[in-house]
Amino acid sequence: MARFYEAHPLGSPAHICMTLMLYTGAAKVDAVKLGPANIKDGRIEYRRQKTKKNPSGVLISLPIHPALATALAARPVTFTYLETGQKKARSPKGLGTSMRKWCDKAGLPLCSSHGLRKAICRRIAEASGTPHEIMAVSDHVTLSMAQKYCETFGRRDMADTAISRLVGTKTEQNLTNHPERFVKKSPNTL
């Protein structure tokens, strides 16, 4: 991300695209439609197009992250944040092509716009976010998909937290020496 931002300064179409997708989790098909009309009471709201269980889309309502607010303020727009230089709507396919060029310019041949959708989920998991929090941002419709991010990231930190919970617990429980009634007697000791 740092390399991308070095190659594409604040106010550039590439910068706004990266920031918009990174802080909303919007897919290309949704990102190209986002504009000032989607801002309501300090939140960015949209209906995700690709939601099989709800054809009209599930409402995504996210607080605007400070980095996103800065990026939005730095790029004047007519109707969508990702409009072309000719003030025309950008298509999802066109956005994918542009993103490919922007990533290549930044020396990131393996990166893509879809990777940004995964990145927000990963970052929430790394910040100890719950699967339900990931679902609220990304609009995953199954808990199992969001859970994968939580299982993959932060295991070391979670292990540290789990062990720290044991500090101050009774250490003299001596669980290996069970009371006589629980000890299985061998036939030789009867």
Side-chain angles (χ1 to χ4, degrees), residues 35-185:
N38 295 94
I39 305 296
K40 294 173 179 70
D41 298 322
R43 303 179 75 79
I44 191 160
E45 296 184 344
Y46 69 98
R47 291 197 177 273
R48 183 139 194 269
Q49 183 176 318
K50 184 182 171 184
T51 305
K52 294 178 184 175
K53 289 188 176 184
N54 184 351
S56 65
V58 173
L59 179 66
I60 304 292
S61 178
L62 306 170
I64 298 176
H65 188 277
L68 179 57
T70 300
L72 297 179
R75 181 153 169 82
V77 298
T78 305
F79 64 100
T80 68
Y81 295 122
L82 301 180
E83 61 194 26
T84 67
Q86 293 77 36
K87 306 291 184 200
K88 297 191 185 231
R90 194 180 297 265
S91 71
K93 186 175 180 178
L95 178 59
T97 301
S98 295
M99 192 61 161
R100 173 75 278 130
K101 290 176 185 175
W102 296 330
C103 288
D104 289 346
K105 181 180 177 187
L108 301 166
L110 300 177
C111 294
S112 69
S113 56
H114 185 69
L116 296 174
R117 187 162 160 70
K118 291 181 177 182
I120 193 169
C121 297
R122 185 199 77 232
R123 291 171 73 211
I124 292 168
E126 287 175 347
S128 301
T130 68
H132 288 96
E133 289 170 329
I134 292 170
M135 290 174 73
V137 170
S138 68
D139 190 40
H140 281 99
V141 293
T142 62
L143 186 59
S144 63
M145 192 65 195
Q147 182 68 33
K148 287 183 181 188
Y149 291 101
C150 293
E151 290 171 354
T152 305
F153 297 99
R155 286 182 173 261
R156 181 178 175 163
D157 291 340
M158 286 189 280
D160 291 349
T161 301
I163 295 302
S164 73
R165 292 180 198 275
L166 299 177
V167 174
T169 60
K170 275 187 155 179
T171 57
E172 297 298 320
Q173 291 176 356
N174 209 354
L175 296 176
T176 56
N177 296 325
H178 296 291
E180 287 290 321
R181 63 185 180 167
F182 296 119
V183 176
K184 188 174 183 180
K185 299 189 183 204

